[in-house]
Amino acid sequence: MLEEKRQLIENLTGVNSSKLNYYLELKKRNDEIIKQNNRLEIIHQIVKDINIDMSIKDIIHRAYSKLPMVLPCDFLGLSLLDSDNLNMAAVAPHNECINKKLTNNSLLWQCIREKKHCLYNVDIFADELKNISQCISVPSNKINSMATIPLSVRGKVIGVLAIGSSKINAYKESELKFCTQLADQLAICIENARLYEQILRGKREWEETFAAVIDPIYLIDLEYNLVRSNNRKLPFVEDKDIQENNMKCYWSIWGKGSKCSTCLMEEVVRTGEVSKRRVENSGYVLDVYYYPVFNSKNEIYAVIHHVQDVTEKIKMEAQLVQSAKLAAIGEMAAGVAHELNSPMTVIIGTTQMLQRDLEGHPRAEFLNDVVNSGLRCKRIIQNLLTFSRQEHQPMGPTDVNDMVQKVLSLTKYQINRSKITIKTDLAKNLPMITANGHQIQQVLINFLLNARDALENADADKKEIKIVTGIECDQSDQRCVWLTVEDNGEGIANDKIDKIFNPFYTSKETSKGTGLGLSVSLGIAQAHEGVIEVNSNPGKGSIFKLILPVKE
């Protein structure tokens, strides 16, 4: 009886109704909290699955695979600003509109201009939604609701995230709040991916530039350990297996077992300045540069080691020195020729007139000697002018035997004065070669002068130089003309024969040679696609052989 009265009073006063409303409200709030937690969990999973090296396309597809769990989503698109253009960077589940430029009246442009999220439904924005469906290649019946959220990084809008559904009124403020949180996280991920790509591209460009440098470049720490290189090796260092515990620069770069005596690393560390040294090694001339590398505390922690091969440059400089000398000789020879040719012509002409007047006279033979000697003097002057001529002589048909005769007319006096016998064995019918005759004469003169110097200490009655020419075929059946200069002098030591073509290398006294002759001769031979071979026996003599191809 009392229970029935209590229930009647509660019904009349509305207590039961209040409890029901409270329960329903509480249940609704709990559902919202659960839904919000689920959405946050989805955002967490999306961000967790995104790697810094993922493409924007992969990021959008990863997000699209998770969104339908907590949000109506039939379309997910991302557009990014590129200067003054807005391009679709990624679309899920379709891919047809990648990099497609959006028009200025697009809803996505409106989101960027207003810098706030927007909701669109087909009942009000039917034309706009149809237009954007066409722009991004999505069937229009799939977009009846759309939410656009600007992507912002450090207050700067970089693009727009668009979420679409085939449902009408699919999105409300609560969904929009979730979409904004998702857009913020995606904006950070995309910006990180962009920065990573920029760093990666810069690193790749730097590495490609570093590797493209022809000269060897090394990064060496203060303990002489090789940290990095562009995989360029010095030509005289053999390939060898470098142990992990033996990456010392002097071993891996120079092939030495201990620190180089020419190393300037300590000086660079002490002064903090760039240093340079020229080194000669195994026939090569190298310019070695040392550049200090500083850390954020302005302390030197490594040195860049740059090695530049300047051997060819030195040879060219040597040729320029020789050319300058020859130019000076040419100027002097031109003056001498003008002074000598006129009186020589008078001498020869007058003598020939006397020959006619004294024909049959017993002393007429002496006049023949005067005429022949005068003609010989004119030939010597002409050869000297030809050899020392300043202007460039082009390649042309050249007779090697003729070059030998001209050189002998120039050098015979010097060699005969040293009491040296010259023998020649010139091949007949020798084919013409395409060459610079002036330069071929220069090579032969260098050979002869070196042979003369090699005979300086030999017995006077045994000094002999032999010049021989001939023709042969090389390994590729290419016909070649060769010329040898052989002496029976002191020869070349085995440990020096590899150095004789190095610029400025000489075993003579300073007053007798500069060490440029053979270096210049080798450069001339190589310019003619030829070679120079040397065969020497210490104490017995040397043979220098110039081989030049015959070109039809």
Side-chain angles (χ1 to χ4, degrees), residues 56 60 77-83 85-90 102 107-117 147-162 183-184 186-188 190-191 194:
I56 295 176
I60 290 301
L78 179 72
S79 60
L80 293 176
L81 276 173
D82 181 12
S83 297
N85 298 322
L86 183 63
N87 302 321
M88 289 303 301
L102 298 175
L107 296 178
L108 303 186
W109 259 118
Q110 182 179 342
C111 179
I112 288 181
R113 284 191 285 264
E114 296 180 0
K115 295 184 179 181
K116 65 178 183 180
H117 53 258
T148 59
I149 307 96
L151 300 174
S152 299
V153 177
R154 295 186 293 274
K156 180 181 178 181
V157 177
I158 64 171
V160 178
L161 179 68
D184 291 340
L186 290 180
I188 295 173
I190 291 169
E191 185 66 11
R194 273 182 162 183

Side-chain angles (χ1 to χ4, degrees), residues 351-463:
T351 305
Q352 289 175 338
M353 291 174 62
L354 288 174
Q355 280 182 314
R356 285 197 301 268
D357 294 340
L358 299 175
E359 187 175 356
H361 192 280
R363 299 288 185 178
E365 294 181 359
F366 296 140
L367 297 177
N368 291 331
D369 293 338
V370 174
V371 171
N372 292 334
S373 297
L375 293 174
R376 182 168 177 265
C377 288
K378 292 198 71 170
R379 285 196 300 270
I380 291 173
I381 293 171
Q382 186 60 43
N383 288 339
L384 179 62
L385 285 171
T386 301
F387 177 75
S388 58
R389 190 174 295 151
Q390 297 182 48
E391 63 267 17
H392 175 71
Q393 294 184 350
M395 296 277 191
T398 303
D399 185 348
V400 173
N401 288 343
D402 186 43
M403 297 299 106
V404 172
Q405 298 294 350
K406 289 183 177 180
V407 168
L408 287 178
S409 69
L410 290 173
T411 60
K412 200 167 186 178
Y413 171 75
Q414 287 180 296
I415 294 175
N416 287 340
R417 192 178 64 174
S418 300
K419 299 180 180 180
I420 298 173
T421 302
I422 297 181
K423 296 182 178 181
T424 59
D425 183 8
L426 307 183
K428 297 180 179 180
N429 300 322
L430 201 65
M432 305 283 279
I433 62 171
T434 302
N436 183 318
H438 169 71
Q439 292 183 343
I440 300 303
Q441 291 181 52
Q442 186 176 350
V443 174
L444 182 55
I445 286 177
N446 286 330
F447 285 177
L448 287 172
L449 295 182
N450 284 337
R452 180 202 62 183
D453 294 338
L455 291 166
E456 185 176 357
N457 298 323
D459 295 338
D461 57 342
K462 294 182 180 180
K463 295 181 180 181

